Amino acid sequence: SSTDSDLRPKLVCPHDISGLNCGEALPVPFSTLEDFMAEGGAYEEFCEGDFSLSSADLADPSDINYCSEVYTLIRRRYTLTDACGYSKSCLQRFVYEVDNTPPSVDCDVLRDFFVGCNDHDLEEQVQGWIESSKARLLDASTDNCGAMMFSHDLEGNVSTKMNCDSSDGIIVSFHIHDACGQMSSCEAKILHQPQRPELGQPHDITGLGCGDGLPPAVTTIEEYLSIGGTVEEYCGKGLTISYKDIGDMESMDICSE
């Protein structure tokens, strides 16, 4: 007579899959025996009647420690169950690669920060800049594993580091780390607020008659210089110019000097 073990189905799992990367989802389980066998699976069934194939993942990619080769394996259990109540299981393995990829960071989102050397709220200003730089960098960073952390190398009070006689400022390094300790870095500077630009008045325009409109305002530095204005700029990052008319022609008393 047949023993219990002789009646149980036999099941061989599809080939193991290796080379998966951090952040990559597990392949979709096979739902049919045809797909199961096409990827290296095999089975034998000894009971007449319908049978089913089911699967269960024994872990999740989010549980993996991608920083160590010891914890980069996930198993999937396939189970074949027949009409006689017998079942047989096998394991397919999925091997993930250790994460060796640091975050990708767009350093162009950082801005240098200008402060007055003797500002009474210097430390508060700098902390606000640090926080805004953190938000900018994290928004402009991506990592194949997803989780990222922020740090910087600015230690101690800025007021003790700023030299009012120097224009070099302080270089601050910002770092974006992934879960495995790999990092990408960017730099920005804390600089002295440059002297305000100086603006020399252009030529006055006289002799306008009743009903004359105001001449059009200039809108570029070049046009401002062309009408006799002067400009001294100390920041080195370019200038823009705007205007506002104070008063209007309709409210003028043109009958008196």
Side-chain angles (χ1 to χ4, degrees):
S1 61
S2 298
T3 65
D4 200 45
S5 60
D6 293 332
L7 296 176
R8 289 183 178 277
K10 296 181 180 179
L11 192 67
V12 176
C13 266
H15 305 302
D16 293 340
I17 296 178
S18 59
L20 297 171
N21 293 312
C22 178
E24 191 173 351
L26 285 172
V28 176
F30 302 114
S31 57
T32 67
L33 278 173
E34 289 76 12
D35 293 338
F36 183 86
M37 295 172 64
E39 296 300 323
Y43 77 98
E44 282 189 76
E45 172 56 32
F46 307 102
C47 177
E48 294 183 2
D50 295 334
F51 53 86
S52 64
L53 180 70
S54 61
S55 65
D57 296 332
L58 307 184
D60 185 271
S62 62
D63 300 328
I64 290 179
N65 178 357
Y66 293 97
C67 310
S68 168
E69 294 181 354
V70 178
Y71 304 104
T72 55
L73 177 67
I74 291 181
R75 294 174 175 86
R76 173 175 290 160
R77 178 188 290 124
Y78 281 100
T79 302
L80 185 68
T81 303
D82 63 22
C84 298
Y86 294 117
S87 63
K88 180 65 176 178
S89 297
C90 66
L91 292 174
Q92 184 184 24
R93 302 188 306 170
F94 301 94
V95 182
Y96 280 79
E97 297 290 335
V98 172
D99 177 27
N100 294 313
T101 305
S104 174
V105 182
D106 180 7
C107 293
D108 290 339
V109 301
L110 280 183
R111 301 287 184 269
D112 290 340
F113 188 56
F114 292 91
V115 296
C117 190
N118 297 312
D119 287 352
H120 69 279
D121 60 345
L122 178 59
E123 301 301 330
E124 290 81 358
Q125 290 185 55
V126 171
Q127 285 306 310
W129 174 65
I130 293 288
E131 290 302 315
S132 65
S133 298
K134 174 182 178 179
R136 285 172 178 268
L137 280 179
L138 287 174
D139 286 344
S141 301
T142 57
D143 186 69
N144 58 326
C145 279
M148 293 179 292
M149 294 160 285
F150 168 87
S151 68
H152 61 83
D153 67 352
L154 182 62
E155 298 179 356
N157 293 331
V158 174
S159 55
T160 63
K161 299 174 180 290
M162 292 290 284
N163 182 350
C164 292
D165 299 324
S166 171
S167 60
D168 293 338
I170 301 171
I171 298 175
V172 182
S173 295
F174 298 95
H175 313 293
I176 301 295
H177 310 256
D178 66 12
C180 295
Q182 299 164 129
M183 72 178 186
S184 297
S185 301
C186 304
E187 289 185 347
K189 288 184 177 181
I190 301 174
L191 296 166
H192 299 302
Q193 190 76 45
Q195 183 179 338
R196 290 181 179 273
E198 297 177 6
L199 206 61
Q201 184 170 311
H203 305 308
D204 291 337
I205 297 178
T206 61
L208 296 174
C210 177
D212 289 343
L214 288 174
V218 298
T219 57
T220 68
I221 296 297
E222 290 75 15
E223 292 174 339
Y224 187 79
L225 296 175
S226 72
I227 61 173
T230 60
V231 175
E232 290 290 341
E233 198 259 329
Y234 303 98
C235 180
K237 295 183 179 294
L239 292 168
T240 59
I241 192 165
S242 61
Y243 71 93
K244 179 179 180 181
D245 294 331
I246 303 172
D248 59 77
M249 300 291 288
E250 294 181 358
S251 62
M252 294 180 64
D253 182 1
I254 60 174
C255 299
S256 61
E257 296 183 0

